[in-house]
Amino acid sequence: MATIREAREALKLYFGYEQFRPMQEQIIEGVLQGKDVVVLMPTGGGKSVCYQVPAVVQPGICVVVSPLIALMKDQVEALLANGIPAAYINSSQTAEQQYQIENQCLEGQLKLLYVSPEKLLSSGFLAFLRRVNVSLFAVDEAHCISSWGHDFRPEYTQLKALKQQFPSIPVIALTATADKLTQKDIQEQLYLRNPQVYVASFDRPNINLMVKPGRDRFNKITDFLARRHNQPGIIYCLSRKATESLADKLKRSGFNATFYHAGMSPNQRAKAQEAFLNDDVLIVCATIAFGMGIDKSNVRWVIHYNLPKNVEGYYQEIGRAGRDGASSDALLFYSYADVMNMRSMLQDNQNEAQTELQLVKLERMQQFAEAAACRRRILLQYFGETMTKDCGNCDICRNPPTRFDGTVIAQKALSAIARTQERSNMSLLVDVLRGARNAQVLQAGFDKVKTYGVGREVSTLDWNRYLHQMLNEGLIEMAYDQGYTLKLTEQSKQVLFEGRKVQLVKFEEVKQEEAAVKSRPKRELIKDALFEKLRTLRKSLADEYGVPPYVIFTDTTLQEMAAERPTNKIAMLAISGVGAQKYERYGDAFITAIIDFINEEQNKGNKIKGATHLATFELLKKGYSVELVAKERNLNPVTVFSHLATLYEQGYAVDLSRYVSKSEYSVIAKQISKQGADAKLKDLYEALGEKYEYYKIRLSISIYKKENSW
Ligand code: ADP
Ligand code: ZN
């Protein structure tokens, strides 16, 4: 049986990651012990590793059932890039191609095989699998089995055949859908034996949650995009037409945008998706048809142009951002008009019970949008998870709303509702309060009522906000069936006649933006020149190898490279996400780019910490002696020797035996072993009877460290 230690080694070797995320380790241990396992983890949580690592360390092949052909292709590409032999088999391939892959399985050449459920259940396939050494079945997107869920796939209900026909082979079922019913369905319908169930937190702390008023969306979007140069993202729109017109408008404003919806031909859709995956197009305006089956890890932001229908949908869509763990943004535009549109759309539905359910869900979504408390708490609470602290990475946390005594404002509004005989909708009421002279107001004769113009000092936007708050608190009601006119309630009367006080929330938008930029969490993308350079390199390598850029390295990996600036093999392999295979393929290219960058900076006269030894190295390579380097670089020879020591420790090819002979070293090393490699030079110097020069001791320490580090 493979051990967890071997699993950890495989994680480093193949994936380049130092350690498992909290739940991954337990899950993998369970799988290695041959247990059935159910994994509920949010998108980006790292589900794939849970079966890919066991697949690598166990003999035989892991068969992965996956519903989406596009996703299979992506996963296989990513595995191959990490040096793990994998393939997929589905109806998009010719019989000949399928036959070849089957042969590879029989010969034991593959560690993972992805199949569609249709293929798995097609005649003869299970019989074929009997001839293959299967180590594990992984059922991805396992919620598709549940008829309660939103992605029900009838084929999935036939997957019980796996346990029936292969009772001794463990099954791991994975999904990003959290609810209990789905979880139960998965266990029962797959016939799992005493499965271990792991439910990870659904929190995605790297996603910054923001809600903005829907007015003037286009300008707000272009502002937002201008600050996210070169960062890919998705704008979700309600209608197909809206995706096209928004993409068009963005293009005319100079943005690299396209659109995607289910009304396009499969070919057009594939093209749009491909361009986005490859970073050729950075912005996709899409209906919610877009995103299922997209594994792109460097989506940096998601905008909802309109309020989503429910929180589930919203959460799934924003979850497409930041799968690599780097800081990402989710921006939602909210307007009351959207809610009203959506309501009337839902009410057209014939099925009454459905309509009611949908309306309730919409209301929850609206509450989220109007929240005056930490948005992440509200979101997680919706999924049954309680946070004990505010998140610090949402607009409300960054700019807590201030409450003030809004009794007078509320009274003005309520009185205006009364005096217009409860016949005005929200926008008409605001016009009356602000004393607007437009046709609607004049026709209704509302310019004659006593409250006409009493709310001039409050902006239209603020009036809208206050009225929404009052709606939420039940101080007014909206008659959806009477042209959305506003009505008084029992509670309004308390405010008007019984001296009840009203607290309102004030938002300060400008401050919000500044605060958002200032208080970014630690995993902020480093958007410096080096990061850009590495990104460009990644793109050209991706084009050359015919894979999406994030398959080469994720944004987080590039970010770490830009921060750490590794310039040799050891340092490069220490970067998270750089495994052996990727180092082999791309390591040199990235090291060269980093060294180039450092040299360019130095030539520009920018002194940068920690890289001056590389300039020394360049001269040494040309055959300069230490003295000459010192002269050329206008440095003290002692400094050049310390460069030499650093270079040696970092694995550069420098020959120290020219400066400290073997016999000298053996004496000095003895002393170092007594006093420790971090002893002061001066102490060593004295202990050695002042017989060896400082630089010899310094270099000996480097040799000593290296000799004793493994
Ligand atoms: P999911 O399938 O749950 O949506 P993935 O398996 O695609 O998530 O993983 C999301 C991202 O996190 C990927 O970029 C993956 O390589 C990375 N990842 C997974 N496990 C680890 C780990 N232990 N350490 C660092 N990164 C990880
Ligand atoms: Zn918060």
Side-chain angles (χ1 to χ4, degrees):
M1 196 182 78
T3 62
I4 192 72
R5 225 190 95 206
E6 288 169 294
R8 249 180 253 131
E9 283 164 8
L11 184 74
K12 178 66 196 157
L13 181 65
Y14 291 99
F15 297 88
Y17 298 137
E18 229 38 70
Q19 54 204 5
F20 287 117
R21 290 182 179 156
M23 216 155 265
Q24 286 175 333
E25 179 145 338
Q26 295 151 278
I27 294 167
I28 289 171
E29 270 192 305
V31 171
L32 293 180
Q33 288 161 10
K35 298 198 173 118
D36 289 342
V37 174
V38 178
V39 176
L40 291 86
M41 218 183 240
T43 311
K47 285 187 287 299
S48 326
V49 160
C50 297
Y51 56 85
Q52 289 171 348
V53 165
V56 171
V57 297
Q58 286 180 309
I61 185 168
C62 167
V63 176
V64 187
V65 184
S66 170
L68 296 155
I69 291 179
L71 210 82
M72 287 184 199
K73 187 167 159 268
D74 255 30
Q75 292 254 350
V76 167
E77 257 171 16
L79 285 164
L80 293 174
N82 279 328
I84 300 170
Y88 59 87
I89 196 161
N90 62 42
S91 54
S92 74
Q93 295 161 315
T94 63
E96 172 65 18
Q97 285 170 323
Q98 297 188 25
Y99 177 72
Q100 275 185 5
I101 291 163
E102 289 181 7
N103 262 339
Q104 290 181 324
C105 293
L106 291 168
E107 284 166 17
Q109 291 171 13
L110 298 176
K111 292 306 319 176
L112 288 114
L113 176 70
Y114 285 75
V115 291
S116 59
E118 296 84 351
K119 177 69 195 177
L120 183 83
L121 301 161
S122 65
S123 80
F125 197 77
L126 289 177
F128 155 74
L129 283 185
R130 288 188 179 287
R131 293 158 54 211
V132 177
N133 179 17
V134 178
S135 60
L136 172 68
F137 287 111
V139 179
D140 206 3
E141 312 286 348
H143 60 279
C144 293
I145 209 165
S146 173
S147 55
W148 299 102
H150 46 290
D151 291 332
F152 177 55
R153 287 175 177 249
E155 319 84 70
Y156 260 65
T157 57
Q158 303 306 308
L159 292 179
K160 54 177 177 287
L162 292 177
K163 263 293 157 200
Q164 288 169 326
Q165 302 208 20
F166 300 89
S168 63
I169 298 177
V171 172
I172 175 171
L174 311 102
T175 174
T177 300
D179 70 79
K180 290 239 156 60
L181 213 51
T182 308
Q183 183 187 319
K184 193 163 141 263
D185 270 355
I186 292 172
Q187 297 186 29
E188 287 178 2
Q189 298 201 38
L190 288 176
Y191 288 3
L192 302 185
R193 298 160 313 178
N194 293 327
Q196 297 187 332
V197 180
Y198 293 95
V199 184
S201 166
F202 272 65
D203 190 12
R204 300 286 310 282
N206 60 316
I207 302 180
N208 165 30
L209 304 170
M210 287 182 281
V211 180
K212 280 189 184 304
R215 274 173 323 108
D216 202 15
R217 292 169 220 220
F218 187 72
N219 283 329
K220 285 180 185 160
I221 289 176
T222 52
D223 276 1
F224 177 94
L225 296 177
R227 270 181 268 129
R228 283 160 185 80
H229 184 60
N230 277 333
Q231 298 186 21
I234 307 169
I235 306 178
Y236 283 108
C237 307
L238 263 190
S239 68
R240 294 173 182 183
K241 228 176 93 206
T243 65
E244 295 188 12
S245 64
L246 181 59
D248 190 50
K249 244 171 117 179
L250 284 170
K251 269 198 279 197
R252 277 187 278 125
S253 304
F255 291 98
N256 180 2
T258 191
F259 58 89
Y260 183 105
H261 57 69
M264 296 156 65
S265 73
N267 197 10
Q268 288 173 313
R269 269 184 286 162
K271 250 175 80 182
Q273 178 165 327
E274 194 79 7
F276 184 59
L277 290 182
N278 292 330
D279 287 355
D280 288 329
V281 163
L282 292 177
I283 302 167
V284 183
C285 306
T287 59
I288 53 173
F290 186 70
M292 251 301 244
I294 290 192
D295 228 352
K296 186 179 172 70
S297 74
N298 65 331
V299 176
R300 290 270 68 86
W301 51 266
V302 167
I303 293 178
H304 281 89
Y305 197 84
N306 306 93
L307 192 75
K309 284 200 197 66
N310 51 51
V311 179
E312 286 92 338
Y314 170 71
Y315 194 72
Q316 191 169 41
E317 283 136 29
I318 64 167
R320 294 185 178 128
R323 295 180 62 152
D324 52 16
S327 162
S328 311
D329 296 297
L331 170 60
L332 163 67
F333 285 108
Y334 172 61
S335 78
Y336 218 71
D338 280 353
V339 179
M340 291 193 285
N341 275 336
M342 201 90 69
R343 286 190 78 98
S344 54
M345 262 161 53
L346 291 175
Q347 273 155 348
D348 284 345
N349 192 331
Q350 298 304 311
N351 180 337
E352 246 177 60
Q354 266 296 321
T355 304
E356 187 145 336
L357 178 67
Q358 303 295 342
L359 286 175
V360 171
K361 291 196 163 190
L362 176 62
E363 212 160 282
R364 295 293 298 267
M365 190 62 225
Q366 192 187 342
Q367 279 167 7
F368 169 82
E370 290 176 351
C374 172
R375 294 199 200 275
R376 201 172 313 270
R377 286 183 93 144
I378 298 178
L379 206 53
L380 290 177
Q381 193 65 56
Y382 183 88
F383 294 109
E385 217 178 296
T386 305
M387 278 171 74
T388 52
K389 281 201 314 246
D390 285 354
C391 77
N393 194 23
C394 73
D395 50 358
I396 303 281
C397 280
R398 263 192 297 276
N399 183 38
T402 22
R403 287 177 190 278
F404 65 100
D405 182 356
T407 311
V408 174
I409 286 178
Q411 282 168 344
K412 284 180 181 173
L414 295 174
S415 147
I417 293 174
R419 296 204 185 253
T420 57
Q421 293 96 42
E422 305 188 327
R423 282 193 290 126
S424 38
N425 63 18
M426 197 171 287
S427 76
L428 182 55
L429 188 77
V430 173
D431 285 345
V432 171
L433 283 162
R434 289 188 35 83
R437 300 192 65 76
N438 60 32
Q440 250 197 319
V441 174
L442 299 178
Q443 265 165 25
F446 289 164
D447 55 330
K448 308 273 185 328
V449 303
K450 204 171 158 216
T451 39
Y452 180 72
V454 294
R456 253 183 252 276
E457 76 287 359
V458 177
S459 73
T460 306
L461 172 64
D462 282 345
W463 267 124
N464 275 298
R465 287 177 169 164
Y466 297 146
L467 290 170
H468 282 157
Q469 289 171 33
M470 291 170 68
L471 265 171
N472 267 346
E473 311 234 328
L475 293 173
I476 35 179
E477 262 172 20
M478 182 179 278
Y480 296 102
D481 51 349
Q482 297 170 38
Y484 304 100
T485 47
L486 298 176
K487 309 281 179 195
L488 299 178
T489 65
E490 275 312 305
Q491 299 194 52
S492 351
K493 291 180 188 140
Q494 296 169 0
V495 176
L496 279 174
F497 311 117
E498 296 164 23
R500 172 171 164 178
K501 296 266 175 228
V502 177
Q503 291 276 308
L504 291 173
V505 163
K506 197 170 202 82
F507 293 89
E508 285 157 65
E509 230 176 290
V510 187
K511 244 173 70 190
Q512 255 183 43
E513 263 310 312
E514 288 166 7
V517 175
K518 273 189 211 139
S519 70
R520 275 305 174 81
K522 46 191 179 316
R523 297 186 85 178
E524 168 68 288
L525 267 186
I526 299 176
K527 279 169 298 219
D528 63 9
L530 178 53
F531 180 81
E532 282 308 312
K533 188 180 169 109
L534 299 179
R535 219 176 54 84
T536 309
L537 171 62
R538 176 177 71 174
K539 174 71 179 135
S540 66
L541 287 171
D543 290 345
E544 185 182 319
Y545 283 86
V547 294
Y550 59 85
V551 168
I552 308 251
F553 288 126
T554 63
D555 279 9
T556 10
T557 299
L558 286 199
Q559 196 180 326
E560 199 177 319
M561 276 186 206
E564 300 293 327
R565 304 187 168 186
T567 49
N568 62 62
K569 181 170 178 176
I570 294 172
M572 186 54 100
L573 280 171
I575 300 287
S576 176
V578 184
Q581 169 92 7
K582 286 192 177 170
Y583 178 78
E584 206 57 43
R585 271 203 199 150
Y586 316 120
D588 273 348
F590 281 86
I591 287 178
T592 308
I594 292 168
I595 292 179
D596 278 356
F597 178 83
I598 291 168
N599 287 338
E600 278 162 30
E601 270 200 337
Q602 276 178 339
N603 292 342
K604 274 189 249 144
N606 294 344
K607 242 186 143 176
I608 53 161
K609 233 181 93 214
T612 161
H613 62 289
L614 295 177
T616 293
F617 185 56
E618 291 304 312
L619 294 177
L620 289 171
K621 273 202 299 198
K622 289 184 190 150
Y624 281 51
S625 68
V626 168
E627 289 71 25
L628 266 179
V629 174
K631 226 179 233 153
E632 172 80 20
R633 299 202 57 210
N634 201 14
L635 296 169
N636 189 320
V638 175
T639 310
V640 179
F641 274 118
S642 82
H643 290 169
L644 224 66
T646 310
L647 287 165
Y648 184 79
E649 283 174 25
Q650 292 186 351
Y652 288 90
V654 285
D655 179 13
L656 299 190
S657 67
R658 288 173 55 184
Y659 310 103
V660 46
S661 72
K662 265 216 170 84
S663 57
E664 286 170 327
Y665 172 71
S666 70
V667 179
I668 300 172
K670 255 190 214 123
Q671 193 57 38
I672 296 173
S673 77
K674 273 191 212 150
Q675 289 180 250
D678 45 6
K680 285 207 181 97
L681 281 185
K682 186 163 167 284
D683 293 343
L684 287 165
Y685 178 72
E686 283 168 5
L688 284 160
E690 306 188 0
K691 271 191 245 143
Y692 300 93
E693 283 137 301
Y694 273 102
Y695 77 83
K696 288 190 195 259
I697 301 175
R698 176 70 189 85
L699 296 180
S700 297
I701 290 178
S702 293
I703 302 171
Y704 180 87
K705 274 192 189 159
K706 238 183 154 177
E707 280 183 351
N708 292 284
S709 68
W710 304 110

